[in-house]
Amino acid sequence: MAHVEVDQDTCISDQVCAATAPDVFEMGADGKAYVVDGMEEVEGADLEMAREAAAACPVDAISIDE
Ligand code: SF4
């Protein structure tokens, strides 16, 4: 299991993570990305998607602690 977080202060709202891993990330009403409720701890395919999104984030706002 790995813990996923988004730093909303760093997020520039380009929606790349929500498009890459929609099961793990969603856009909030404030335009920032958030981890979907219940997906703070991920493994398997969800973790792979979260890693992909983190790598694609242009400002490194996504952290994954494994
Ligand atoms: S990819 Fe990064 S900058 Fe873009 S919405 Fe997600 S967290 Fe924010």
Side-chain angles (χ1 to χ4, degrees):
M1 291 291 254
H3 184 74
V4 184
E5 277 185 21
V6 177
D7 178 359
Q8 281 82 29
D9 291 337
T10 304
C11 174
I12 56 168
S13 308
D14 68 356
Q15 305 185 16
V16 167
C17 57
T20 304
D23 289 347
V24 183
F25 302 99
E26 62 186 359
M27 303 309 295
D30 60 357
K32 304 289 186 173
Y34 289 85
V35 176
V36 172
D37 269 351
M39 298 299 281
E40 295 82 3
E41 306 291 330
V42 292
E43 61 185 346
D46 290 330
L47 176 54
E48 284 306 313
M49 293 302 284
R51 281 199 191 112
E52 217 175 288
C57 176
V59 292
D60 287 337
I62 298 169
S63 56
I64 300 177
D65 291 326
E66 303 188 45

